[in-house]
Amino acid sequence: MAAPAIALRFRDTVPNVDTIHAHRSVLHDKGSVWWGWWKKDFEEDHGALLESLQANGSLAISIVDRSTQRMFRADVLQVRIGRLKKAELDFVPEYYLKYEERVFAWFLLSSIEEESFDNEIAARFGDHTLLSLAAAEDDRVEKLAADTNVSNRSCILHLSDLHFGADYAFATQREKPNIGDPRKTLTECLAADLKRIGKHDNIAAVLVTGDFTTGGDWRDGTREDVLQEFKALRGVLGLEPEQIIAVPGNHDIVRYPKGSPIDIAAIVLSNQTTYQHEREFRTFVDELIGRNWKDSLNYVHRIRLKEADVLLCLLNSCTIVATEWTEYGFVGTSGIDAMGTLRDEPITRPTFKFVALHHHLLPVAGVAAPNSKGVTLSLDASDLLDAAQNAGAHIALHGHEHMPRIARYQTVPLRGATMAPPLHVVSNGSAGGKRTPGSERNAYCLFDLQADRLHLSMRELRFDAKEGASLFDGQLDVKPQVP
């Protein structure tokens, strides 16, 4: 029996549709069934590989669902790149027949048989959905960004929930406020406050945990406002583009247009076929910092500071698709893989490990009322917290609900397992939005990392550049990992 040539990844994302059952039903009735490969917008097309498979005729493939740890072997009669003929559409499951023109390649299957799940193969997918099994590949490379060396500085500035557009509280770089309007730009306000505390010339990087925009407003004007603000901020702080680090928020990756009728099945299929809903954020980040728009949104970035290293594990928590509750977060297996990379990175100096995402890992509101526009934890928060502790993370950062809060999390191990050190979870308030809950004000965080300690300042950020309140100013009870 020939070994599978490639593996295809899938998930049951359409409500009330079991992907394998739907294909097996057609296979039972027709004798064969077309399986579609929906290439993500940022994936390579594997043109040469598909053409070679097409020329070879029959072959075997693996079909993998990492979320449920299922794997199937399928025998392939034919490979087709591009559209099917009209008569061939009778051999396609009905649930995605409307979207067949978006399928990049087709595989005509004569059998689908379950086999043992191979975690090694599954882990190699990364963010992708087609994997060549001809040669082993190191997925770890996809999860690593190039190191950034800032040997004369020691601080990481954390911002979140800027909300450029309708909900932005500060003046933009292009604005000329009217007489009596006290608003300054975000750059002016940050620079003024950092000077007050003597840290304006000690910023090694700026980490933004999502919601650059409001409601997916990526129009040219809004996009330009964000880019110009960060250009000004880099100029004041003396930073290069790669010293800005961006994580997406639910207002940056919008799964359906505001005010549009919600047809969950249609939304899921439309998004799953191409992942075009991520394109605006991906191309924005490419323009903002030069990170290729096709690169993974789950990765590890090492910054070499004056006395210590910081390993940042950046996560995309905006992957949920099969629900109208789009403000909920979900990271999934690709993010867990990235935390595995965080765990395994070599330690050559005192090193602090951070995990950063947009959505919550712990509650911050007094009462979180459920509704279709609900705002709450990442749905896989428990898995993420476990993976973060397993990776030796010291700090987890997020935004989302615009409420500053600092907590400490530690699981009590079962069955005699070793207890991991506690994880500090820092919820940043909104740094730029008008909408803050209750009496909360805009805020930012500043982490000062030394060889043997980590100091956190959490401060109010006023839009008139005047001095705000200090929310927290102290050393956190964490020690760096050492060689």
Side-chain angles (χ1 to χ4, degrees):
M1 183 180 295
I6 64 170
L8 299 175
R9 184 178 177 182
F10 78 98
R11 280 194 303 165
D12 289 335
T13 53
V14 180
N16 304 316
V17 173
D18 181 300
T19 305
I20 296 298
H21 183 267
H23 283 80
R24 279 176 167 169
S25 293
V26 176
L27 180 60
H28 179 269
D29 294 341
K30 304 283 188 178
S32 59
V33 60
W34 286 104
W35 182 285
W37 175 46
W38 291 345
K39 183 183 82 68
K40 292 182 179 180
D41 201 35
F42 54 83
E43 285 187 272
E44 60 178 300
D45 60 20
H46 294 285
L49 173 61
L50 290 172
E51 287 174 6
S52 69
L53 297 178
Q54 191 174 40
N56 288 338
S58 60
L59 66 141
I61 64 174
S62 289
I63 302 172
V64 183
D65 179 2
R66 290 196 70 189
S67 61
T68 59
Q69 295 197 331
R70 293 182 297 162
M71 184 174 286
F72 302 85
R73 177 192 169 92
D75 292 316
V76 180
L77 301 173
Q78 188 180 157
V79 179
R80 179 75 54 79
I81 303 171
R83 301 286 297 275
L84 295 176
K85 297 175 183 177
K86 186 175 181 180
E88 293 173 323
L89 296 178
D90 290 340
F91 294 76
V92 175
E94 186 177 356
Y95 76 94
Y96 67 98
L97 199 54
K98 284 175 58 178
Y99 298 90
E100 55 84 19
E101 76 279 0
R102 300 189 185 184
V103 174
F104 191 84
W106 297 90
F107 299 84
L108 185 62
L109 309 184
S110 60
S111 67
I112 304 174
E113 301 296 333
E114 190 162 6
E115 60 182 4
S116 298
F117 184 77
D118 188 329
N119 192 62
E120 184 176 340
I121 290 177
R124 286 174 52 193
F125 276 101
D127 292 344
H128 302 285
T129 55
L130 188 152
L131 176 68
S132 172
L133 299 178
E137 298 173 5
D138 185 4
D139 177 56
R140 182 174 167 273
V141 174
E142 184 190 50
K143 300 298 183 188
L144 280 174
D147 292 357
T148 299
N149 296 300
V150 197
S151 60
N152 61 338
R153 300 187 176 191
S154 62
C155 292
I156 304 295
L157 175 63
H158 176 210
L159 308 176
S160 195
D161 297 83
L162 299 173
H163 285 286
F164 278 85
D167 289 337
Y168 190 56
F170 296 80
T172 67
Q173 291 292 324
R174 300 187 297 168
E175 266 187 288
K176 293 183 178 179
N178 296 324
I179 295 174
D181 185 346
R183 291 178 306 139
K184 307 291 185 183
T185 67
L186 179 67
T187 295
E188 289 174 310
C189 297
L190 280 169
D193 204 54
L194 290 170
K195 284 181 181 178
R196 287 188 192 102
I197 60 175
K199 300 294 185 182
H200 63 288
D201 58 355
N202 197 22
I203 306 301
V206 179
L207 169 62
V208 187
T209 50
D211 281 2
F212 285 84
T213 67
T214 295
D217 180 4
W218 289 114
R219 292 174 297 177
D220 290 348
T222 308
R223 191 184 186 101
E224 188 62 23
D225 284 339
V226 185
L227 293 171
Q228 288 298 321
E229 198 61 55
F230 277 91
K231 181 179 180 181
L233 185 60
R234 286 196 296 105
V236 167
L237 300 180
L239 304 178
E240 297 299 322
E242 63 269 19
Q243 290 169 269
I244 307 295
I245 300 160
V247 172
N250 58 289
H251 281 263
D252 301 322
I253 295 179
V254 177
R255 281 139 295 181
Y256 54 85
K258 186 177 181 180
S260 64
I262 300 173
D263 181 342
I264 296 301
I267 290 166
V268 169
L269 283 165
S270 178
N271 289 343
Q272 186 175 322
T273 51
T274 61
Y275 270 62
Q276 286 183 2
H277 59 299
E278 291 186 356
R279 184 186 295 174
E280 291 284 8
F281 178 77
R282 286 174 170 273
T283 55
F284 160 73
V285 170
D286 196 333
E287 193 171 359
L288 177 70
I289 64 176
R291 182 172 172 81
N292 192 302
W293 74 279
K294 293 186 177 183
D295 287 348
S296 176
L297 295 180
N298 299 292
Y299 64 100
V300 174
H301 186 160
R302 184 192 298 268
I303 302 176
R304 298 189 180 277
L305 304 171
K306 186 175 182 179
E307 296 185 13
D309 285 3
V310 58
L311 283 168
L312 300 173
C313 182
L314 295 315
L315 302 177
N316 173 20
S317 58
C318 304
T319 65
I320 191 170
V321 289
T323 174
E324 65 179 285
W325 297 55
T326 60
E327 294 201 15
Y328 277 90
F330 185 77
V331 173
T333 52
S334 178
I336 300 295
D337 290 345
M339 283 197 273
T341 301
L342 176 69
R343 177 196 62 221
D344 297 337
E345 270 299 277
I347 304 299
T348 59
R349 305 173 70 208
T351 300
F352 294 94
K353 293 182 175 182
F354 283 44
V355 173
L357 70 166
H358 179 69
H359 289 86
H360 295 204
L361 294 173
L362 297 174
V364 299
V367 176
N371 59 71
S372 64
K373 301 297 181 184
V375 184
T376 187
L377 304 180
S378 179
L379 296 178
D380 52 350
S382 181
D383 285 345
L384 297 174
L385 288 164
D386 286 347
Q389 288 188 104
N390 185 51
H394 301 93
I395 307 289
L397 307 176
H398 67 80
H400 194 38
E401 262 192 76
H402 302 189
M403 293 186 68
R405 189 178 179 92
I406 304 169
R408 216 162 36 171
Y409 177 86
Q410 185 177 37
T411 54
V412 176
L414 305 179
R415 298 179 181 176
T418 303
M419 181 175 288
L423 174 71
H424 286 73
V425 181
V426 179
S427 169
N428 205 343
S430 169
K434 291 178 184 176
R435 296 183 296 115
T436 54
S439 59
E440 299 295 344
R441 307 289 181 87
N442 293 106
Y444 73 91
C445 290
L446 187 72
F447 294 89
D448 192 343
L449 298 93
Q450 304 297 324
D452 59 352
R453 62 189 183 279
L454 188 157
H455 187 277
L456 169 61
S457 299
M458 180 182 281
R459 295 178 60 81
E460 179 187 357
L461 183 63
R462 291 179 52 142
F463 59 73
D464 58 6
K466 294 182 179 179
E467 185 169 8
S470 173
L471 306 180
F472 180 87
D473 186 28
Q475 187 172 316
L476 297 183
D477 184 20
V478 298
K479 294 296 181 184
Q481 191 171 337
V482 295

